[in-house]
């Protein structure tokens, strides 16, 4: 059901981009998906969750794992060059592949990033409830050296989030 870009589909396969386009055209003519040009890439989207369930369910388990491994490896290359998605997408694909070592590594990266970017004061403002643990001591209001060192990660997370949001 989620949009997938043609560059990711083609990059994760050994098939040429033209063959991928031909296949997507056939699938679109059969009413299974729709394609659209967004920003600077062609995207495809299945027309319903049931279509996704049928297509995904018809693929043998070993083949699904292999496909998730390929997509994860392609996305990992982009991620390492700081061109690709967040660690959560990598964790998603590697969890569904046979490579559980990478799945746990990217899952841990995702959890660490979430812990570093969560703002307790902001959450308290929205919920009206205190989120301070009883065993915590007082917090300083100014950013320390450790927090300042995390600012590049914060900005990268923000840019990645903004890039992945689509406005309709």
């Amino acid at each position: 059901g989620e949009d997938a870009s043609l560059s990711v589909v083609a990059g994760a396969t050994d098939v040429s981009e033209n063959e991928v386009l031909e296949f997507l055209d056939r699938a679109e003519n059969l009413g299974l998906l729709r394609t659209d040009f967004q920003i600077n890439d062609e995207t495809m989207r299945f027309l319903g969750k049931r279509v996704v369930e049928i297509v995904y369910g018809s693929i043998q388990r070993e083949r699904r794992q292999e496909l998730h491994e390929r997509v994860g490896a392609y996305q990992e290359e982009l991620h390492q060059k700081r061109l690709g998605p967040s660690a959560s997408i990598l964790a998603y694909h590697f969890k569904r592949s046979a490579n559980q070592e990478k799945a746990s590594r990217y899952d841990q990266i995702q959890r660490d990033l979430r812990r570093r970017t969560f703002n307790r004061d902001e959450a308290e403002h929205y919920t009206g409830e205190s989120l301070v643990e009883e065993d915590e001591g007082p917090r300083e209001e100014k950013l320390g050296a450790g927090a300042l060192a995390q600012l590049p990660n914060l900005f990268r997370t923000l840019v990645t989030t903004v890039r992945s949001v689509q406005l309709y």
Side-chain angles (χ1 to χ4, degrees):
E2 294 183 23
D3 291 342
S5 69
L6 174 64
S7 60
V8 171
V9 174
T13 65
D14 296 330
V15 180
S16 73
E17 188 172 323
N18 286 334
E19 290 178 273
V20 171
L21 279 171
E22 288 174 14
F23 179 80
L24 291 178
D25 286 341
R26 285 194 315 259
E28 187 171 24
N29 289 336
L30 292 171
L32 299 174
L33 55 86
R34 69 173 168 81
T35 59
D36 189 22
F37 191 81
Q38 294 182 2
I39 304 172
N40 60 355
D41 200 359
E42 186 85 19
T43 60
M44 54 89 36
R45 180 182 194 86
F46 284 102
L47 291 180
K49 289 198 179 258
R50 186 69 182 134
V51 175
V52 174
E53 290 170 6
I54 291 170
V55 171
Y56 194 76
S58 67
I59 302 171
Q60 293 181 357
R61 183 176 183 266
E62 294 80 21
R63 179 73 174 140
R64 282 194 310 250
Q65 287 179 331
E66 178 188 339
L67 291 172
H68 280 290
E69 177 81 27
R70 283 178 165 216
V71 171
Y74 177 75
Q75 297 277 19
E76 184 178 40
E77 286 179 33
L78 295 176
H79 182 74
Q80 289 171 349
K81 295 175 185 174
R82 298 190 182 271
L83 299 173
S86 67
S88 63
I89 293 175
L90 294 168
Y92 171 86
H93 285 292
F94 285 121
K95 280 179 186 177
R96 284 151 183 81
S97 75
N99 195 339
Q100 294 305 302
E101 178 183 330
K102 283 188 178 183
S104 62
R105 178 174 37 160
Y106 285 111
D107 199 34
Q108 184 62 44
I109 290 170
Q110 175 190 3
R111 282 195 305 270
D112 290 346
L113 184 61
R114 192 178 316 132
R115 266 193 296 269
R116 289 192 310 260
T117 57
F118 177 72
N119 184 329
R120 199 172 281 175
D121 291 331
E122 183 180 8
E124 287 176 359
H125 169 74
Y126 289 117
T127 63
E129 299 174 14
S130 176
L131 300 175
V132 176
E133 300 284 331
E134 290 182 23
D135 60 346
E136 281 189 48
R139 291 181 282 164
E140 292 186 27
E141 296 298 319
K142 294 184 179 182
L143 294 177
L148 289 174
Q150 295 300 321
L151 285 178
N153 287 334
L154 172 67
F155 293 130
R156 179 170 182 255
T157 302
L158 178 64
V159 169
T160 302
T161 303
V162 169
R163 284 182 180 166
S164 66
V165 171
Q166 291 182 342
L167 300 176
Y168 293 97

